[in-house]
Amino acid sequence: PEKVRVYQQAGIKVYFGGILFEAFVIRNQFSDYIQLLKEYAIDYIEVSDGSISIPHEEKCGYIEKLSQYGTVLSEVGSKDKDREHITPPYKWIQLMKAELEAGASYIVAEARETGTVGLYRDSGEVREGLVQEILTKVPAEKIIWEAPQKDQQLYFLSLIGPNANLGNINPSEVIALESMRVGLRGDSFHLFLK
């Protein structure tokens, strides 16, 4: 409670990770989750289904309900752990659009902490065709791209621009990322020479 209060007093938005949402849902305690949000004055809310299976229509129902309490970030792509069942681009787009229509303010494009699932191949290489296709149907400003690896961050900054929404950044790497955003690193200096 103290840590949350300190962040909030500093004007930093706080939200519980999606796994906490899933823990309440799997136990049929959704109303208790809403009470927890109110108790801690949490107005950013992550909805995910990376650890439990939630039918998509039901997930959209949770998004719609929770959007009454704050800004909803909804995660897409978390099922791509099984390389034999990689979600095709049209499905990513379909899910993202439905979740935005349900009331999500942002879609978190999944990569996990390793940056080797979802948006990325096992090697960490960006699934560029997937990203390009998503961007033909979903506005870049509505997507938070999980990009824990430097090459992944540079890819999105080059593609979208210095204000690309990036997530899953290690706190110790925030300054390096911000330096990359403004071209004060050798790997991004060229982005500002145009």
Side-chain angles (χ1 to χ4, degrees):
E2 180 66 20
K3 186 175 181 180
V4 170
R5 188 180 61 73
V6 169
Y7 281 130
Q8 289 170 333
Q9 287 177 340
I12 297 171
K13 295 294 182 182
V14 176
Y15 66 94
F16 301 130
I19 192 77
L20 186 63
F21 161 79
E22 294 180 52
F24 275 84
V25 167
I26 197 74
R27 291 173 177 84
N28 294 314
Q29 296 177 313
F30 182 67
S31 58
D32 294 333
Y33 181 70
I34 290 173
Q35 290 304 75
L36 182 70
L37 296 173
K38 290 178 180 178
E39 180 181 339
Y40 287 95
I42 301 295
D43 58 0
Y44 271 61
I45 308 156
E46 183 177 0
V47 174
S48 67
D49 59 353
S51 298
I52 63 173
S53 291
I54 303 173
H56 194 247
E57 189 174 311
E58 185 179 331
K59 182 181 180 188
C60 287
Y62 287 123
I63 292 168
E64 186 176 345
K65 290 173 187 159
L66 289 168
S67 68
Q68 299 171 33
Y69 298 96
T71 300
V72 175
L73 298 93
S74 183
E75 190 173 77
V76 170
S78 54
K79 297 297 184 203
D80 282 358
K81 296 176 284 239
D82 179 359
R83 289 291 173 196
E84 293 177 17
H85 300 97
I86 293 176
T87 305
Y90 82 89
K91 189 68 172 173
W92 279 72
I93 292 166
Q94 183 182 55
L95 296 173
M96 288 177 158
K97 289 175 86 172
E99 293 176 20
L100 287 167
E101 288 171 13
S105 295
Y106 299 96
I107 300 297
V108 178
E110 175 66 40
R112 299 239 184 249
E113 294 79 16
T114 60
T116 58
V117 299
L119 293 170
Y120 309 103
R121 294 183 173 80
D122 290 336
S123 64
E125 180 187 359
V126 178
R127 291 174 56 198
E128 291 186 45
L130 168 65
V131 171
Q132 296 285 348
E133 198 161 334
I134 288 171
L135 288 171
T136 66
K137 303 288 183 191
V138 182
E141 63 271 10
K142 291 292 187 180
I143 303 171
I144 299 171
W145 308 95
E146 289 192 339
Q149 298 179 24
K150 292 270 186 280
D151 288 346
Q152 297 165 350
Q153 296 161 15
L154 183 59
Y155 172 80
F156 286 107
L157 296 178
S158 299
L159 180 67
I160 297 168
N163 292 321
N165 297 321
L166 301 178
N168 223 339
I169 307 299
N170 186 312
S172 67
E173 296 175 5
V174 169
I175 293 173
L177 172 59
E178 290 307 304
S179 296
M180 193 184 305
R181 284 186 189 274
V182 296
L184 294 178
R185 286 178 42 116
D187 48 10
S188 66
F189 186 75
H190 68 282
L191 298 176
F192 294 87
L193 296 178
K194 298 173 184 173

